[in-house]
């Protein structure tokens, strides 16, 4: 008020904190004097409440993006944020952090809000040390941060496995810290505002600033140029450009500032809605030794880079910036989490009621000690080998349903994870989280097989179109031969029916013999030669194909699709207690009474063989094992259905989930997963279920249709012949009957003749 009333100032610059800025903004708005605030965080609603308040420091949205880019580069997924309990941070910074972390698949595990110089700092750090998260982002003043790092260093929290990331409010003033304070921050990574120190404007200001500062404050050891001085310089130039018209009113000055645009020390300075445009360039620094080392840069356009070349391609990973000195040394990348100090060994629940023991097989030794084997256990052990750290664990048996086992993870006092042949379902995913599936995600149908009906096998070597084309070309060729030869051969003449018969005879007998000696025309001989060549190729191909069909055992499923099962109300089988029964009922439409739950692979085989069930529905990996063991008599049939597959299970929000899933993918990509599965399938010996072996000798079953055709054809010919012969005999008899009376009459007449001898 003194500046406004006594000194008649036209603009006020400089509140560094939001608490200061909010007080000054109230006075400035009443007097219509623009207030340029250098507070790091100003709420959005502030400009509406105080129209003469201008934020001269950039907001922290881009800075938050840079921090989340660091977190994403190293694969961390849970972050604890420590900040001073100030309204502007809680309302502006924390929401931006929440959304930015969600965009990269991470989350805030805990928010630690501490008042300046809080006496509870030690208590809060102790609580953080007991938790799993080891990635901490600090947003505070420099004085608060130095006090906190001293306390954390004493508590052993600046050691191997921890990650500390500081915001610009701390990192940009790191040059002012003494060696003693820096020693408590070894390995800290920070984000720092960037300004081009090589520009002439900056060099000129830098020299003049150091000279004047050293004269006015000779007691200060550090004369380096900090972010506050740079922001103040740009703010002064902003006001200077807006006051070109000298005695301007407050409203006009406000409008001029909003239109200001120039290249300042921090880059292009321009305002949008009474807010300076956010910075898009930051330095990434690493505290080491007596100071800090510049690792590289981050920009919103190029990501991480070693230089500020704007033409570089976008690089999302900080790993390209070189070696980072982490707390405790640079030798290994921190995982970002650890097991809580409340326990040392991961407790893993393992189901012991699995129908197929190939996946999880509990075994007791001579001393009654329980151990586990099986494909799932081997896969999990292979996954542990790909983790970048040692994970102590203990398998604990669970005798109950799979749903009940998953529910145990809701309150993880008993289990920290579940390893077994646990199917991924939507209902289970509501209570826990699954890794990527380590098996095929399909449901298949297994049915008995039966010998294919061979009665019509003789037509199978050719398709319908081939049979039709062969018939047509034979008739056509027979017609050509008949047409050419009919004037040379009396056998080709006669009644229409006789000529048709001869034509068909020529058409089909040519397939088996060449009657060239009986042909009289060279044209017919030419046609006959080409015809015989084609016929030879066709008959040999037919013979070879038919022979292979007759000698190879041909089996076919007893059921082809599920619709026939539903229509016939057939009983189908599935595993006891599995989600498959629910899927069969709700998704595929089977009636509950027609679904039978089975408890062992042997029971599946026996039920299918005896006809107690018409089909069995199994997850793809179980079906592979079943068919490997019962390789005769059963087959997959019908379509496959997409389901979740098998996966490892963890509580909601478990930091282990991401690492285990990533390691599982590495096991799969290395070929180890397929190798383990193939070994398991190969270890299954085919069990003979006393199915009747088909005799390799050919029986009448393969030819009875042909026998019927040839016998029927001969029978028709015989009956036709008999009918024709009968008609001929009757006609002859009728003719004889007519002639006999006439002959007798003639004989009597000749006897009575006077000229007739008496004898």
């Amino acid at each position: 008020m003194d500046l406004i009333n006594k000194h008649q100032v036209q603009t006020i610059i400089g509140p560094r904190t939001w608490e200061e800025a909010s007080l000054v903004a109230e006075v400035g708005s009443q007097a219509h004097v623009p207030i340029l605030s250098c507070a790091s965080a100003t709420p959005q609603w502030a400009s509406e409440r105080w129209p003469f308040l201008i934020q001269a420091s950039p907001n922290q949205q881009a800075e938050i993006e840079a921090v989340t880019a660091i977190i994403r580069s190293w694969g961390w997924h849970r972050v604890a944020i420590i900040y001073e309990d100030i309204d502007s941070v809680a309302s502006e910074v924390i929401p931006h952090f929440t959304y930015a972390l969600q965009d990269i698949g991470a989350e805030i595990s805990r928010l630690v809000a501490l008042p300046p110089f809080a006496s509870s700092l030690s208590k809060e750090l102790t609580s953080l040390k007991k938790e799993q998260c080891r990635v901490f982002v600090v947003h505070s003043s420099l004085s608060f941060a130095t006090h906190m790092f001293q306390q954390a260093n004493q508590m052993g929290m600046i050691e191997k496995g921890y990650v500390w990331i500081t915001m610009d409010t701390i990192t940009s003033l790191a040059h002012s810290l003494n060696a003693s304070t820096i020693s408590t921050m070894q390995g800290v990574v920070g984000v720092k505002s960037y300004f081009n120190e090589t520009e002439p404007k900056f060099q000129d200001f830098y020299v003049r600033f150091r000279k004047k500062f050293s004269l006015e404050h000779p007691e200060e050891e550090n004369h380096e140029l900090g972010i506050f001085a740079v922001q103040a310089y740009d703010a002064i130039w902003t006001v200077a450009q807006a006051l070109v018209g000298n005695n301007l009113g407050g409203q006009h000055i406000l409008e001029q500032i909003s239109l200001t645009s120039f290249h300042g020390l921090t880059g292009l300075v321009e305002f949008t809605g009474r807010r300076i445009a956010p910075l898009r360039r930051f330095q990434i620094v690493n505290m080491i030794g007596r100071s800090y080392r510049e690792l590289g840069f981050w920009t919103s356009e190029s990501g991480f880079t070693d230089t500020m070349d704007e033409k570089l391609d976008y690089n999302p990973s900080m790993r390209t910036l070189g070696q980072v000195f982490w707390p405790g040394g640079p030798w290994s990348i921190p995982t970002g989490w650890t097991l809580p100090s409340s326990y040392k060994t991961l407790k893993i629940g393992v189901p012991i009621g699995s129908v197929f023991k190939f996946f999880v097989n509990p075994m007791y030794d001579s001393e009654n000690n329980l151990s586990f084997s099986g494909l799932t256990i081997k896969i999990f052990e292979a996954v542990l080998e790909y983790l970048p750290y040692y994970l102590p664990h203990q398998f604990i048996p669970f005798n109950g349903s799979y749903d009940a086992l998953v529910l145990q993870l809701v309150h993880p006092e008993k289990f920290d994870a579940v390893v077994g042949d646990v199917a991924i379902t939507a209902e289970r995913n509501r209570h826990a989280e699954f890794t990527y599936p380590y098996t095929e995600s399909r449901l298949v149908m297994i049915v008995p097989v039966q010998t294919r009906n061979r009665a019509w096998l003789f037509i199978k070597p050719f398709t319908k179109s081939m049979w039709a084309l062969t018939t047509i070309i034979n008739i056509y060729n027979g017609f050509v031969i008949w047409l050419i030869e009919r004037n040379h051969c009396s056998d080709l003449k006669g009644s229409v029916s006789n000529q048709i018969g001869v034509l068909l005879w020529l058409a089909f007998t040519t397939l088996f013999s060449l009657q060239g000696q009986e042909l009289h025309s060279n044209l017919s001989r030419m046609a006959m030669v080409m015809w015989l060549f084609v016929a030879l190729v066709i008959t040999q191909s037919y013979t070879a194909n038919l022979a292979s069909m007759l000698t190879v055992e041909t089996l076919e499923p007893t059921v082809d699709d599920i619709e026939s099962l539903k229509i016939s109300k057939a009983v189908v089988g599935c595993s006891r207690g599995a989600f498959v029964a629910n899927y069969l009922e709700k998704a595929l439409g089977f009636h509950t009474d027609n679904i039978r739950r089975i408890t062992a692979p042997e029971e599946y085989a026996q039920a299918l063989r005896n006809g107690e069930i018409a089909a069995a529905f199994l997850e793809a990996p179980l079906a592979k094992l079943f068919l490997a063991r019962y390789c005769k008599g059963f087959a997959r049939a019908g379509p496959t259905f997409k389901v979740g597959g098998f996966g490892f299970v963890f509580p909601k929000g478990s930091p282990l989930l991401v690492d285990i899933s990533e390691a599982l993918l590495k096991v799969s990509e290395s070929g180890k997963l397929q190798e383990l599965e193939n070994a398991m399938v190969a270890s299954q010996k085919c069990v003979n279920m006393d199915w009747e072996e088909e005799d390799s000798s050919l029986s009448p079953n393969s030819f009875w249709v042909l026998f019927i055709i040839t016998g029927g054809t001969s029978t028709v010919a015989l009956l036709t012949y008999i009918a024709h012969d009968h008609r001929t005999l009757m006609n002859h008899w009728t003719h004889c009957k007519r002639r006999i009376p006439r002959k007798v009459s003639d004989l009597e007449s000749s006897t009575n003749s006077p000229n007739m001898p008496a004898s």
Side-chain angles (χ1 to χ4, degrees):
M1 292 180 66
D2 179 70
L3 290 172
I4 293 172
N5 296 329
K6 183 177 179 180
H7 298 279
Q8 300 293 310
V9 298
Q10 294 175 292
T11 305
I12 295 177
I13 302 173
R16 276 293 306 157
T17 67
W18 163 242
E19 288 71 26
E20 295 171 352
S22 60
L23 294 175
V24 176
E26 182 69 32
V27 178
S29 295
Q30 292 177 0
H32 289 194
V33 174
I35 307 296
L36 271 72
S37 169
C38 294
S40 59
T42 302
Q44 293 283 351
W45 52 265
S47 59
E48 298 178 3
R49 179 173 179 179
W50 300 298
F52 283 83
L53 176 65
I54 298 175
Q55 183 178 342
S57 60
N59 67 39
Q60 295 178 288
Q61 185 172 354
E63 181 186 354
I64 291 171
E65 292 177 5
V67 173
T68 55
I70 294 174
I71 294 170
R72 178 176 56 186
S73 297
W74 303 102
W76 301 320
H77 296 274
R78 304 191 78 189
V79 180
I81 299 179
I82 304 172
Y83 65 98
E84 283 186 275
D85 193 7
I86 302 173
D87 291 342
S88 58
V89 177
S91 61
E92 289 293 303
V93 176
I94 301 305
H96 284 314
F97 253 123
T98 302
Y99 298 137
L101 289 172
Q102 287 177 352
D103 288 341
I104 65 170
E107 62 180 357
I108 298 176
S109 66
R110 184 174 175 184
L111 292 171
V112 182
L114 295 171
F117 305 105
S119 59
S120 61
L121 177 59
S122 177
K123 180 180 178 181
E124 292 293 343
L125 290 177
T126 301
S127 177
L128 285 173
K129 189 175 181 179
K130 292 180 180 180
E131 296 183 0
Q132 292 179 305
C133 182
R134 287 292 183 265
V135 180
F136 306 121
V137 176
V138 184
H139 186 291
S140 69
S141 63
L142 181 64
S143 59
F144 179 89
T146 55
H147 176 60
M148 187 204 67
F149 279 115
Q150 288 175 358
Q151 188 73 35
N153 191 58
Q154 293 174 3
M155 298 175 61
M157 297 180 68
I158 314 294
E159 295 180 354
K160 183 178 179 181
Y162 287 87
V163 178
W164 294 88
I165 303 174
T166 56
M167 302 286 287
D168 181 62
T169 53
I170 302 169
T171 317
S172 287
L173 299 175
H175 65 275
S176 65
L177 299 176
N178 56 40
S180 176
T181 303
I182 289 289
S183 67
T184 65
M185 302 174 63
Q186 295 294 293
V188 173
V189 174
V191 175
K192 179 176 180 287
S193 296
Y194 167 77
F195 32 84
N196 190 351
E197 299 179 0
T198 61
E199 288 190 357
K201 182 188 294 187
F202 182 90
Q203 291 292 331
D204 177 65
F205 176 65
Y206 178 71
V207 172
R208 291 187 293 114
F209 176 85
R210 282 177 58 90
K211 182 178 180 180
K212 186 173 183 179
F213 188 84
S214 60
L215 290 175
E216 294 182 359
H217 303 280
E219 73 282 359
E220 293 288 340
E221 297 180 0
N222 193 327
H223 301 158
E224 292 297 321
L225 189 62
I227 186 62
F228 294 160
V230 173
Q231 289 179 351
Y233 178 90
D234 286 346
I236 293 294
W237 269 101
T238 300
V239 175
Q241 293 196 15
L243 293 177
V244 174
N246 294 322
N247 296 322
L248 300 175
Q251 183 64 40
H252 192 74
I253 295 174
L254 186 68
E255 294 174 356
Q256 289 298 314
I257 290 176
S258 299
L259 298 174
T260 299
S261 177
F262 67 96
H263 283 278
L265 297 184
T266 57
L268 181 63
V269 177
E270 58 182 355
F271 290 82
T272 304
R274 297 201 298 277
R275 282 175 172 263
I276 194 171
L279 289 178
R280 295 294 180 184
R281 299 178 177 183
F282 297 91
Q283 275 186 304
I284 310 299
V285 301
N286 187 200
M287 304 294 181
I288 181 174
R290 300 174 61 88
S291 183
Y292 63 84
R293 180 168 64 97
E294 296 176 354
L295 295 174
F297 307 92
W298 181 89
T299 69
S300 57
E301 297 84 11
S302 302
F304 293 97
T305 176
D306 293 324
T307 64
M308 292 304 296
D309 187 353
E310 297 181 355
K311 297 181 180 180
L312 294 174
D313 293 333
Y314 188 83
N315 175 27
S317 178
M318 177 184 167
R319 295 173 184 258
T320 59
L321 299 184
Q323 181 68 59
V324 180
F325 187 91
W326 302 106
W331 301 279
S332 62
I333 300 171
T335 61
W337 69 275
T338 188
L339 294 175
S341 58
S342 57
Y343 63 86
K344 297 181 179 180
T345 303
L346 196 71
K347 296 172 292 186
I348 300 177
V350 180
I352 61 175
S354 175
V355 173
F356 286 80
K357 302 300 181 184
F358 316 110
F359 282 88
V360 178
N361 185 24
M363 299 181 299
Y364 290 90
D365 59 16
S366 57
E367 298 179 358
N368 205 32
N369 295 321
L370 179 63
S371 62
F372 293 93
S373 63
L375 178 63
T376 299
I377 303 299
K378 290 181 179 179
I379 292 175
F380 184 73
E381 291 173 348
V383 167
L384 296 183
E385 294 178 2
Y386 278 87
L387 290 178
Y389 48 84
Y390 173 67
L391 184 65
H393 60 279
Q394 176 188 4
F395 291 130
I396 302 174
F398 181 84
N399 189 10
S401 69
Y402 284 71
D403 290 337
L405 177 57
V406 173
L407 287 174
Q408 297 288 321
L409 297 175
V410 176
H411 304 289
E413 289 83 6
K414 187 171 183 180
F415 298 128
D416 304 303
V418 170
V419 171
D421 51 340
V422 182
I424 303 173
T425 67
E427 179 62 26
R428 293 171 184 171
N429 201 55
R430 290 177 52 205
H431 307 291
E433 290 185 291
F434 287 81
T435 62
Y436 296 114
Y438 60 84
T439 62
E440 292 182 66
S441 305
R442 292 181 296 130
L443 184 69
V444 300
M445 182 173 69
I446 305 295
V447 299
V449 293
Q450 61 185 3
T451 303
R452 183 179 300 169
N453 186 358
R454 295 190 174 191
W456 294 94
L457 193 63
F458 68 94
I459 66 172
K460 296 297 183 181
F462 287 167
T463 62
K464 293 180 181 179
S465 58
M466 183 63 181
W467 280 115
L469 182 60
T470 302
T471 302
I472 292 172
I473 196 65
N474 280 339
I475 294 175
Y476 173 74
N477 288 336
F479 170 75
V480 171
I481 300 299
W482 169 81
L483 187 64
I484 296 173
E485 293 289 329
R486 64 174 183 167
N487 294 326
H488 303 285
C489 183
S490 59
D491 292 338
L492 302 181
K493 298 179 180 181
S495 64
V496 175
S497 60
N498 182 64
Q499 294 187 58
I500 292 175
V502 171
L503 189 150
L504 295 177
W505 171 260
L506 287 173
F508 292 100
T509 56
T510 309
L511 290 172
F512 309 103
S513 63
L514 176 62
Q515 300 173 352
Q517 69 279 9
E518 300 180 5
L519 300 179
H520 299 82
S521 172
N522 287 332
L523 294 176
S524 58
R525 291 190 182 100
M526 178 182 67
M528 181 69 76
V529 169
M530 292 307 300
W531 185 9
L532 181 63
F533 174 75
V534 174
L536 180 64
V537 174
I538 292 175
T539 53
Q540 293 300 321
S541 301
Y542 175 86
T543 303
N545 201 358
L546 180 61
S548 65
M549 290 183 175
L550 288 171
T551 54
V552 175
E553 182 179 1
T554 53
L555 301 175
E556 61 182 3
T558 55
V559 180
D560 291 328
D561 56 78
I562 64 169
E563 293 302 323
S564 59
L565 292 173
K566 291 190 290 186
I567 293 173
S568 62
K569 297 182 179 181
V571 178
V572 297
C574 66
S575 297
R576 175 178 59 86
F579 78 98
V580 179
N582 187 55
Y583 185 86
L584 292 176
E585 181 179 351
K586 295 184 177 179
L588 300 184
F590 284 94
H591 194 275
T592 307
D593 296 337
N594 296 329
I595 300 174
R596 175 179 167 181
R597 290 168 174 79
I598 295 177
T599 58
E602 297 80 8
E603 189 178 347
Y604 275 112
Q606 200 66 32
L608 287 169
R609 181 189 177 191
N610 297 338
E612 298 173 11
I613 60 174
F617 287 87
L618 299 172
E619 294 97 323
L622 302 181
K624 282 185 179 180
L625 287 171
F626 180 83
L627 293 177
R629 184 172 184 182
Y630 301 100
C631 57
K632 297 180 180 179
F634 305 105
R636 292 165 62 166
T640 60
F641 307 94
K642 187 70 175 177
V643 291
F646 294 161
F648 304 130
V649 200
F650 292 87
K652 288 282 188 180
S654 172
L656 270 174
L657 179 67
V658 174
D659 289 344
I660 294 293
S661 292
E662 182 178 346
L664 181 57
L665 288 177
K666 291 179 180 179
V667 172
S668 178
E669 292 171 358
S670 68
K672 182 68 174 178
L673 185 61
Q674 188 64 46
E675 179 184 333
L676 290 172
E677 184 175 326
N678 292 341
M680 178 194 63
V681 173
S683 66
Q684 302 303 310
K685 295 182 179 180
C686 184
V687 176
N688 190 353
M689 289 290 295
D690 296 330
W691 292 87
E692 293 183 2
E693 297 288 343
E694 184 176 2
D695 191 354
S696 59
S697 301
L698 297 177
S699 67
N701 290 333
S702 303
F703 305 102
W704 66 267
V705 172
L706 289 174
F707 290 141
I708 290 177
I709 291 175
T710 184
T713 303
S714 298
T715 302
V716 170
L718 176 62
L719 294 176
T720 304
Y721 171 76
I722 292 174
H724 179 269
D725 191 61
H726 178 70
R727 284 196 301 271
T728 303
L729 183 61
M730 292 302 295
N731 290 336
H732 182 68
W733 175 250
T734 303
H735 179 69
C736 290
K737 286 174 64 178
R738 291 196 189 115
R739 293 187 62 188
I740 288 173
R742 192 163 53 247
K743 293 290 184 180
V744 171
S745 175
D746 292 342
L747 182 58
E748 291 177 348
S749 299
S750 62
T751 303
N752 297 328
S753 174
N755 298 323
M756 190 74 175
S759 60

